[in-house]
Amino acid sequence: MSYTVEITKDNLIPIPDTLCAELGFTVGDILVCAMDKDRAEISMKKHSDQTLTDEQISAAGNLTRLVSLEAAK
């Protein structure tokens, strides 16, 4: 399964609600982000430990928490 979205000027990756539902992602989920060196793509999957703090996520370097763009504004 492959989808294309554009990274915003604020380095956000907007994932439409319908895509989140299809992938089983919900606001607050912690995702592992992996970049393919040979292609301009990033893969994301749920992290095995959904209890990490924001500090632990930041320290890992390849994790992010799924947030609502509406709430971020």
Side-chain angles (χ1 to χ4, degrees):
M1 162 180 350
S2 177
Y3 297 92
T4 301
V5 295
E6 289 188 32
I7 298 173
T8 69
K9 65 180 181 171
D10 298 327
N11 291 324
L12 298 174
I13 302 172
I15 305 172
D17 291 340
T18 54
L19 180 55
C20 283
E22 187 173 328
L23 297 172
F25 294 168
T26 58
V27 171
D29 283 348
I30 299 170
L31 305 178
V32 178
C33 303
M35 184 181 244
D36 186 331
K37 294 179 184 179
D38 298 328
R39 299 169 64 177
E41 66 183 37
I42 298 172
S43 65
M44 294 183 209
K45 64 179 181 178
K46 280 190 179 182
H47 190 268
S48 58
D49 183 357
Q50 292 291 309
T51 66
L52 299 176
T53 66
D54 289 340
E55 291 78 21
Q56 291 169 312
I57 292 169
S58 182
N62 67 333
L63 301 178
T64 190
R65 188 179 305 279
L66 189 62
V67 298
S68 167
L69 288 179
E70 298 301 318
K73 291 179 182 179

